Amino acid sequence: MSPRLIIARAAMMLALVAAGALPVSAQAPHRGFLTGFGGADATKHASPFFGGAIGVDLGDHVQITADVGRIQNAEPTFTHDDLALVASDAASEGIVASATSKVPTNYYTAGVRVRTGDRWRFRPYALVHAGVAHMSPKPTFMIEGVDVTSLMMSDLANDPGDPYSVRQSFREETRPMATVGGGVTTAVTDHVQVDLGYKFSSIFIKKGYLQDFEGSPHSHNRIDTHRFYAGLGLTF
């Protein structure tokens, strides 16, 4: 084989490695990562979320990982629909009213992440997590332009023995949360990586929570969230 052909093939292989199309044989070994991320949650409304993740390698393909994050508004569709019925019923009586809510949610999960392509520039992964979500609902009730939220949440408007009262439906609550997802990481430098991914989570709620149990045609026992994210992390 001529020297010119050898040089041409070597240049082609280097270009493919740089593009991630061939395995990279010399990468610095890492034992874990620390990543900050942000993105959009699509529960009912497009809402920002942010958080951080840490992971420790158990081998070339398996990591133990943990996430902490905050979803700015995880209001589910059924809550939005039930509150819209409140305004509709009031309008049928000639009353101008509105009922809305936000559900800021902090979550804490841990689990396993499985990666492929240990000798490739781009490393796809899948993950399974379990943990808890703490929800802090913030309803707003307006009648004829007057904010009556405090009244609607007071003892005067809520029977202390009623488990499905307005105040009980919008109480702060911590519930189990399960997550599955996937993504891809790519190294920017020896110790910096970009992480792009998607996570689907279910928060398992009690009967009547964030819903009109007596008036709604359906009962719901979970809130599903869809999170798309990008992160920048350090490997160590």
Side-chain angles (χ1 to χ4, degrees):
M1 185 180 297
S2 70
R4 181 178 298 176
L5 186 56
I6 292 173
I7 293 172
R9 289 191 175 182
M12 182 180 296
M13 292 180 67
L14 286 173
L16 289 172
V17 168
L22 285 178
V24 180
S25 58
Q27 287 187 347
H30 300 134
R31 296 189 299 273
F33 69 89
L34 181 64
T35 298
F37 56 80
D41 170 80
T43 307
K44 167 59 181 177
H45 313 278
S47 173
F49 82 97
F50 55 88
I54 189 171
V56 177
D57 293 356
L58 293 184
D60 289 340
H61 301 287
V62 179
Q63 295 176 312
I64 298 295
T65 59
D67 282 6
V68 175
R70 178 178 176 85
I71 303 171
Q72 294 293 81
N73 185 11
E75 181 196 38
T77 299
F78 57 81
T79 302
H80 178 272
D81 293 345
D82 284 354
L83 291 175
L85 285 175
V86 173
S88 177
D89 290 344
S92 68
E93 300 292 332
I95 302 172
V96 178
S98 66
T100 59
S101 74
K102 293 183 178 181
V103 187
T105 300
N106 297 326
Y107 62 88
Y108 315 87
T109 65
V112 176
R113 189 163 85 165
V114 179
R115 303 182 297 171
T116 62
D118 59 309
R119 291 171 57 82
W120 300 70
R121 181 169 180 172
F122 296 95
R123 300 202 65 176
Y125 63 83
L127 62 85
V128 177
H129 274 198
V132 296
H134 180 78
M135 295 162 286
S136 304
K138 301 183 183 302
T140 301
F141 299 96
M142 305 286 292
I143 296 179
E144 302 292 346
V146 178
D147 190 335
V148 295
T149 304
S150 296
L151 176 62
M152 293 293 292
M153 300 293 283
S154 69
D155 290 338
L156 186 64
N158 293 270
D159 181 352
D162 182 3
Y164 307 121
S165 66
V166 173
R167 185 165 61 190
Q168 281 296 306
S169 292
F170 289 96
R171 67 188 182 274
E172 288 197 23
E173 183 85 324
T174 300
R175 297 297 300 161
M177 178 176 178
T179 299
V180 296
V184 61
T185 61
T186 181
V188 178
T189 68
D190 283 347
H191 294 285
V192 177
Q193 67 178 7
V194 171
D195 187 346
L196 303 173
Y198 162 79
K199 293 176 182 175
F200 170 82
S201 296
S202 287
I203 304 170
F204 301 95
I205 60 175
K206 293 181 179 179
K207 182 171 65 176
Y209 186 63
L210 294 177
Q211 57 196 291
D212 182 355
F213 177 70
E214 296 177 343
S216 178
H218 304 289
S219 178
H220 303 272
N221 60 9
R222 74 174 193 262
I223 299 172
D224 294 333
T225 72
H226 305 268
R227 304 193 304 282
F228 303 86
Y229 61 89
L232 186 65
L234 301 175
T235 56
F236 53 83

